[in-house]
Amino acid sequence: MSIPEFLLEVSIVVIAVVSLLTNLSVLLCFTQSADLRSHVPGIFILNLSFSNVLLTVVNMPATFFGVAKSANPFGDLFCQVVSFSETFLTTNAMLSMAALSMDRWIAVVFPLSYSSKMRYRDALVIVAYSWLQSLTFSLTQLLMDWGGYSHTYASCTVHLDNWSQLAAYATFTVLFHCSSFALCLIVLCFAYLKVLRVARSHCKRIDVITVQTLLLLVDIHPSVKERCLAEQKKRKQRATKKICIFIGSFILCFSPYVITRLVELLPSVHIPRYWGIAAKCLSYAKTSSDPFVYCLLRQQYRKVLVSIISRVLRKDQYSLSVHSTSSTLDTTDDNCIARIT
């Protein structure tokens, strides 16, 4: 085994473990919190987390064994199933991210009419469309027999064996990435840039009120004024940083893989195997970053996680105390019996 292959295998294992733990934590938060379940964006987050968990359980192990064996680790039938699931789950995850961005845009730009513009019924319709589009491309791939093991990516994915179908396959690939990656990127950029614009306008209003207040308070200490101005600057940077994380993580994780899949359609281009696997691993990394980007760094989810952990620790402490008490009683009984005998 070469060093690059070893590093790629380790990367897949680390990504899979982190993705499984974080996405299951998000699902656990929803099962334990009625407040999280009551919010409409929770439907999109659940859809995204389920897709990430299934992608982690089904596709990442197949890619790991593909890298380790440098060949199809399973039979052709199972490889078709894995390829089908990758197309479906990846598309569904991307569309869920786009739905979350649109929900945030409506909540920030139209806060007074949000409850009428984004209801549970509307969210379920969006999720149904996401499933329909994902099924359309994955079933097309299955019916055209375009799923199989690719040596370039060491995984079961969209793959063409019969080059006589190159024109149809190229059309399918371009449409697939345009309707998933490109569409979602446009929606993310539009929604979050609008959100950033509104957030900056709110910050300007707050800054004007703060400056006017500071001018009226002539006796205020200079250090207090400096702290207020510093807080204003942090508020602006915080909004920009969040938007950059939302859009930047999407581009960083998916664009190398998508560009590689489009470039390989050119007959004269040969994609190096290590680059193909690395691009695949980078797309897998999005599953482990999504829980942090959308959920676990927010205060609501942190509170639920802390309460779950504290309940588990209390149960452990209670069981330990009960075991310790029973052990003490058993020891006392044994000593009494020994004295009697």
Side-chain angles (χ1 to χ4, degrees):
M1 180 188 299
S2 63
I3 295 177
E5 288 181 350
F6 174 75
L7 293 177
L8 289 171
E9 290 175 10
V10 171
S11 300
I12 294 172
V13 171
V14 171
I15 292 171
V17 171
V18 174
S19 175
L20 195 61
L21 291 176
T22 53
N23 283 285
L24 287 178
S25 298
V26 173
L27 296 178
L28 181 63
C29 289
F30 273 96
T31 60
Q32 299 297 317
S33 175
D35 182 55
L36 292 177
R37 294 193 299 270
S38 64
H39 294 116
V40 174
I43 298 176
F44 304 134
I45 292 176
L46 282 175
N47 193 40
L48 177 61
S49 297
F50 274 121
S51 297
N52 289 339
V53 168
L54 291 176
L55 195 68
T56 303
V57 173
V58 177
N59 292 87
M60 291 189 194
T63 302
F64 173 82
F65 288 114
V67 175
K69 295 184 177 182
S70 297
N72 186 358
F74 310 106
D76 292 336
L77 180 60
F78 185 77
C79 198
Q80 288 276 359
V81 174
V82 173
S83 178
F84 175 90
S85 68
E86 181 192 71
T87 302
F88 176 82
L89 296 173
T90 304
T91 307
N92 192 34
M94 288 186 183
L95 293 175
S96 297
M97 297 174 210
L100 283 168
S101 66
M102 292 303 296
D103 176 84
R104 184 50 38 199
W105 171 64
I106 295 173
V108 173
V109 179
F110 309 102
L112 299 179
S113 58
Y114 172 78
S115 58
S116 61
K117 290 180 179 295
M118 185 59 73
R119 296 163 294 182
Y120 263 97
R121 183 179 63 185
D122 301 323
L124 291 175
V125 170
I126 294 173
V127 171
Y129 169 77
S130 174
W131 279 58
L132 180 62
Q133 178 173 328
S134 304
L135 278 173
T136 300
F137 282 99
S138 54
L139 286 175
T140 302
Q141 165 195 320
L142 185 63
L143 293 175
M144 298 298 293
D145 196 21
W146 288 338
Y149 178 79
S150 173
H151 180 74
T152 303
Y153 305 99
S155 61
C156 298
T157 182
V158 181
H159 181 62
L160 181 64
D161 289 325
N162 186 6
W163 288 99
S164 62
Q165 298 178 327
L166 180 60
Y169 176 78
T171 303
F172 169 83
T173 303
V174 172
L175 287 176
F176 170 65
H177 292 298
C178 286
S179 61
S180 56
F181 174 77
L183 175 63
C184 294
L185 180 59
I186 292 172
V187 172
L188 259 68
C189 291
F190 169 80
Y192 285 127
L193 290 179
K194 288 287 187 181
V195 169
L196 181 60
R197 183 179 178 182
V198 173
R200 284 182 173 177
S201 65
H202 288 335
C203 288
K204 286 182 180 179
R205 295 193 193 100
I206 296 173
D207 293 345
V208 170
I209 296 173
T210 304
V211 171
Q212 291 175 349
T213 305
L214 293 175
L215 291 174
L216 291 174
L217 299 174
V218 293
D219 296 332
I220 194 171
H221 195 272
S223 62
V224 178
K225 292 184 179 180
E226 291 179 1
R227 283 200 298 271
C228 291
L229 297 175
E231 185 61 30
Q232 291 178 357
K233 187 177 180 180
K234 287 182 180 179
R235 194 183 302 114
K236 294 178 182 178
Q237 293 176 346
R238 196 180 303 122
T240 306
K241 184 178 178 181
K242 286 182 178 180
I243 301 302
C244 290
I245 290 174
F246 286 135
I247 300 177
S249 62
F250 185 86
I251 295 175
L252 178 64
C253 292
F254 286 124
S255 59
Y257 181 70
V258 172
I259 293 172
T260 303
R261 296 310 303 253
L262 293 175
V263 169
E264 74 174 357
L265 296 175
L266 302 174
S268 59
V269 176
H270 172 71
I271 305 298
R273 184 170 184 268
Y274 290 140
W275 169 256
I277 300 173
K280 191 76 172 178
C281 292
L282 197 56
S283 67
Y284 285 156
K286 192 69 174 73
T287 63
S288 60
S289 66
D290 284 341
F292 296 104
V293 172
Y294 294 103
C295 304
L296 297 180
L297 295 181
R298 295 186 177 182
Q299 189 174 6
Q300 288 178 314
Y301 290 88
R302 291 205 304 267
K303 284 183 178 179
V304 176
L305 276 179
V306 169
S307 65
I308 293 172
I309 293 172
S310 62
R311 287 202 302 268
V312 171
L313 291 177
R314 280 201 298 268
K315 288 181 180 178
D316 290 341
Q317 291 176 356
Y318 176 75
S319 62
L320 287 174
S321 63
V322 170
H323 178 72
S324 176
T325 304
S326 62
S327 300
T328 304
L329 292 174
D330 292 340
T331 305
T332 304
D333 293 340
D334 291 341
N335 291 334
C336 291
I337 294 171
R339 285 197 296 269
I340 294 173
T341 56

